[in-house]
Amino acid sequence: MINRLVIENLKHRRLRTTLSALSIGFQVTMILAVVGLSRGMLQDSQNRARGAGADIFVKPPAASAISLGGANMPEKMIPAFFIQQPHVVRAAGSLIQPIGGISTVTGVQFDDFAAMSGIRFIEGGKFRAKFDVVIDEYYAEQNKKKVGDSIRFLNTAWRVTGIIEAGKLARIIAPLATLQELTSNTGKISQVLLKLDNPKITPSVISALKNTPGLEGYSIYSVEEFVSMFSIDNVPGLKAFIYVIIGLSVVIGFLVVWLTMYTTVLERTREIGILKALGASPFDIINLLFRETLILALVGWAAGVGLSYAANAAINGLVRASLQSVIVYDWWPTVMAIAVFASLLGAAWPGLRAAKQDAIEALAYE
Amino acid sequence: MSNDIIRISGLKKVYRVGDIDVPALRGVDLNVARGEFLSVVGPSGSGKSTLFHIVGGLTSPTSGTVIIDGQDMANLTDLDRTRLRRGKVGFIFQKYNLLPTLSAMDNILMARHFGGGNGQPLSEQFNDLLKLLGIHHRLHHKPRALSGGEQQRVAIARALVNRPAILLADEPTGNLDTENSDRVLSVLRDLNVKLGQTILMITHNPEAAAYGHRTVTMRDGRLK
């Protein structure tokens, strides 16, 4: 019977029920979108690192594995050392340069990199002139660029000569020498990518490289080690940011439900008096309000999950070159718990107030 | 053993309003026999409703003795008074006080739920009572679709669903027209005669009071 009263009460105040559930839903969507965005961006970075086709990544001393830029490695190490190592069949250097926000341009020797990664052109071909660039399909789609168009970064106009399939290390690929010159990094690169004749012996090759005099301090990773570093834990501040969003969501959820339940209790003072006259205990009253709150939280959670699909589709459909989002199914139980916790917290004080309501005063309430 | 279902002696109730003590009951002595239909009349502010609330376990007395169906109200906790309301007392209010979001039947079943009879079918005797009240064909309507008289008869059914020892009626015809008032009062009298239901009814109306076996008058917190 209590459940029937709960359902009828929620149905009776449809607009408020809908708005309250949606408010909780937006809180759920906010968390799912932030986590989905964080994970999507990191997964995209992982996919692009794998797409480079390398078995080993070599980073210079003091360089972060997932840094957006920096060039502290002599390019001449490639012909002088890396390509001569046993089992190394290809070696390519790249220079990564930030161009605003989290966007970067990557400079490569095109033929070396193409041979390693197996780049496939959707339109056009490799760069031929000093200020030519190749862009990936996501960048082209988001920025509405086609072969022959011009794009501008580093205070320079670049001509698009080709559009490649996404997932090959970078969204924008420029001639290495041009990028080195523009960024005052002549002769320097950010990392070296190595392709082995047999990927299964990657650990032994890494071990040999680490024991090579002169490579002390260099970070040498297998591709799987390298991509495993693209995690929420390894991005400075990201975890804290997610916690802040969760904290804000809890506060918003708490306030929404607090306000909803507070007005509900005021509006239903007489009803609470009737229930008490019928023999409802304070526990019964709190139980009633908590069940209503639980339903609001669960409906809000479901709405929030649905809205997160819409947010995901919007991000990936409109700005997938800049942002990537994924559906984070494993977070659904967590956000459900957060929504329920925040909502029940919000219902606690109004519930206690209702439970303590004097039955006679409540029955006299107009 | 006494046949009195309600035994009240020296009952006082003082409300604290700000810094001032306001006496609502100044020493009431009253016995009500099992199966009696007692009418309590008196002007507004005479203490009728306070007496109603104390007998119904909605509030506790300040001093004096109140024994309901053998249970002394003096030492009851809030939870004890809740239990008393569930089993021993049924309320009928002037404004019907049906839960507006539930159908008439669900209002009745809600009282039954708190009385501990959740899920059990209604007895044949109670179904007969619904027919006696003339609401058996209106039970699936919500209160807003019922007339005032129908709502009050649903409230009577709700008050009786747990077979309470005492039916407390606070101005049960106060919001009804003459025809519906007569019908509700007739129903109360029938319940008293046919089922032996003890009824304590508060009213302003002398004609309504005449339906009871006995009428007592309250004035200034005392029985006259």
Side-chain angles (χ1 to χ4, degrees):
Chain A
M1 274 315 298
I2 292 288
N3 285 342
R4 189 170 301 173
L5 181 60
V6 165
I7 298 293
E8 291 300 331
N9 280 340
L10 290 171
K11 278 164 61 183
H12 187 69
R13 297 162 180 88
R14 281 178 199 198
L15 182 62
R16 189 165 64 198
T17 299
T18 305
L19 290 177
S20 301
L22 272 180
S23 302
I24 295 168
F26 284 126
Q27 154 205 359
V28 166
T29 303
M30 194 157 76
I31 297 174
L32 290 178
V34 167
V35 176
L37 202 56
S38 305
R39 198 176 287 176
M41 298 287 282
L42 291 167
Q43 279 183 10
D44 180 55
S45 297
Q46 289 177 332
N47 291 339
R48 283 191 280 139
R50 284 198 184 95
D55 296 310
I56 295 173
F57 284 72
V58 181
K59 292 263 184 182
S64 162
I66 56 173
S67 65
L68 293 178
N72 302 312
M73 208 168 164
E75 186 184 358
K76 63 184 179 188
M77 285 177 77
I78 296 175
F81 175 73
F82 285 113
I83 199 65
Q84 294 175 21
Q85 297 307 301
H87 304 291
V88 173
V89 292
R90 293 187 194 287
S94 71
L95 171 61
I96 303 165
Q97 176 64 35
I99 55 171
I102 54 172
S103 299
T104 58
V105 56
T106 300
V108 295
Q109 295 279 9
F110 193 86
D111 291 338
D112 291 346
F113 181 66
M116 180 178 288
S117 62
I119 276 178
R120 193 176 67 80
F121 278 95
I122 294 170
E123 190 183 343
K126 67 176 186 177
F127 29 74
R128 293 183 291 272
K130 187 175 180 181
F131 293 107
D132 285 353
V133 287
V134 167
I135 58 177
D136 82 348
E137 56 186 317
Y138 291 174
Y139 186 91
E141 183 184 293
Q142 182 178 323
N143 295 284
K144 297 182 173 48
K145 296 292 179 187
K146 55 186 187 302
V147 171
D149 285 352
S150 175
I151 60 175
R152 190 168 183 83
F153 57 87
L154 298 177
N155 293 321
T156 305
W158 303 73
R159 189 176 68 94
V160 176
T161 60
I163 298 171
I164 59 170
E165 63 182 355
K168 299 295 181 187
L169 191 65
R171 299 233 182 275
I172 309 172
I173 299 174
L176 178 59
T178 311
L179 202 57
Q180 286 171 327
E181 182 186 325
L182 283 176
T183 59
S184 303
N185 282 309
T186 303
K188 290 181 182 172
I189 52 178
S190 306
Q191 61 186 6
V192 171
L193 290 67
L194 303 178
K195 179 83 175 170
L196 305 183
D197 54 3
N198 179 8
K200 288 181 182 169
I201 59 166
T202 302
S204 63
V205 175
I206 289 175
S207 178
L209 287 171
K210 284 183 174 172
N211 290 324
T212 303
L215 284 186
E216 296 90 352
Y218 277 73
S219 300
I220 304 169
Y221 310 106
S222 70
V223 65
E224 287 311 316
E225 285 171 343
F226 185 63
V227 298
S228 71
M229 291 179 188
F230 290 93
S231 74
I232 288 173
D233 289 337
N234 283 347
V235 179
L238 184 55
K239 208 166 188 176
F241 176 67
I242 290 173
Y243 285 151
V244 167
I245 294 295
I246 290 173
L248 284 174
S249 300
V250 169
V251 170
I252 292 168
F254 165 80
L255 290 175
V256 164
V257 174
W258 189 88
L259 192 62
T260 300
M261 284 301 152
Y262 182 71
T263 53
T264 293
V265 166
L266 281 183
E267 195 176 275
R268 280 159 50 190
T269 298
R270 192 177 183 86
E271 182 186 313
I272 289 163
I274 297 169
L275 289 170
K276 288 195 166 183
L278 293 180
S281 66
F283 172 79
D284 291 323
I285 303 295
I286 291 179
N287 183 21
L288 174 73
L289 292 174
F290 271 22
R291 286 190 199 199
E292 284 191 26
T293 304
L294 189 63
I295 289 177
L296 280 179
L298 293 178
V299 171
W301 169 79
V305 168
L307 285 170
S308 76
Y309 273 91
N312 193 61
I315 290 168
N316 291 339
L318 298 174
V319 289
R320 65 174 170 171
S322 308
L323 302 172
Q324 292 270 316
S325 175
V326 291
I327 297 295
V328 283
Y329 305 100
D330 56 319
W331 268 73
W332 288 4
T334 306
V335 285
M336 183 196 279
I338 291 168
V340 168
F341 169 74
S343 301
L344 291 181
L345 200 65
W349 190 81
L352 286 173
R353 182 189 157 104
K356 286 181 181 173
Q357 182 85 45
D358 182 83
I360 299 168
E361 285 178 17
L363 284 167
Y365 189 83
E366 297 292 342
Chain B
M1 184 180 164
S2 165
N3 189 40
D4 292 337
I5 197 165
I6 301 173
R7 283 185 285 150
I8 299 170
S9 65
L11 175 62
K12 292 183 181 176
K13 178 70 179 179
V14 178
Y15 287 110
R16 186 90 178 163
V17 182
D19 294 332
I20 300 169
D21 287 336
V22 179
L25 297 177
R26 298 165 188 260
V28 172
D29 300 303
L30 175 69
N31 287 351
V32 180
R34 195 176 294 273
E36 186 175 2
F37 185 166
L38 177 71
S39 300
V40 182
V41 297
S44 296
S46 61
K48 303 188 303 290
S49 291
T50 302
L51 178 66
F52 176 91
H53 292 146
I54 291 174
V55 173
L58 289 170
T59 189
S60 53
T62 303
S63 64
T65 305
V66 179
I67 297 172
I68 305 293
D69 200 20
Q71 187 162 18
D72 191 343
M73 305 281 282
N75 302 314
L76 295 189
T77 63
D78 283 351
L79 193 59
D80 291 333
R81 284 194 279 118
T82 297
R83 289 199 189 103
L84 178 100
R85 291 198 293 274
R86 286 176 177 172
K88 289 194 190 298
V89 182
F91 292 96
I92 305 169
F93 300 96
Q94 180 178 350
K95 292 178 181 170
Y96 328 130
N97 279 343
L98 298 178
L99 295 165
T101 57
L102 295 183
S103 68
M105 178 53 94
D106 285 342
N107 264 277
I108 293 167
L109 293 178
M110 182 59 72
R112 190 173 166 79
H113 166 81
F114 289 123
N118 199 21
Q120 294 168 18
L122 294 172
S123 67
E124 200 170 316
Q125 191 182 12
F126 189 77
N127 284 320
D128 289 342
L129 173 69
L130 294 175
K131 286 178 188 157
L132 175 71
L133 291 167
I135 53 167
H136 55 288
H137 60 296
R138 303 285 284 160
L139 291 173
H140 296 291
H141 290 81
K142 290 197 173 166
R144 65 173 179 271
L146 301 174
S147 70
E150 286 172 328
Q151 287 188 59
Q152 193 60 297
R153 281 178 276 140
V154 171
I156 293 171
R158 182 180 68 178
L160 292 173
V161 72
N162 293 325
R163 301 177 60 86
I166 305 163
L167 183 61
L168 295 174
D170 186 3
E171 301 276 7
T173 58
N175 275 17
L176 298 178
D177 57 25
T178 308
E179 185 184 342
N180 275 305
S181 292
D182 288 344
R183 188 159 185 190
V184 164
L185 291 166
S186 297
V187 164
L188 291 177
R189 186 171 56 195
D190 285 351
L191 289 170
N192 173 255
V193 171
K194 292 179 182 172
L195 304 177
Q197 179 68 52
T198 307
I199 300 173
L200 193 154
M201 179 175 73
I202 288 170
T203 180
H204 276 104
N205 183 348
E207 288 177 25
Y211 277 79
H213 298 129
R214 180 164 67 109
T215 299
V216 294
T217 304
M218 287 199 74
R219 189 177 294 276
D220 299 329
R222 294 187 181 91
L223 286 176
K224 294 290 176 188

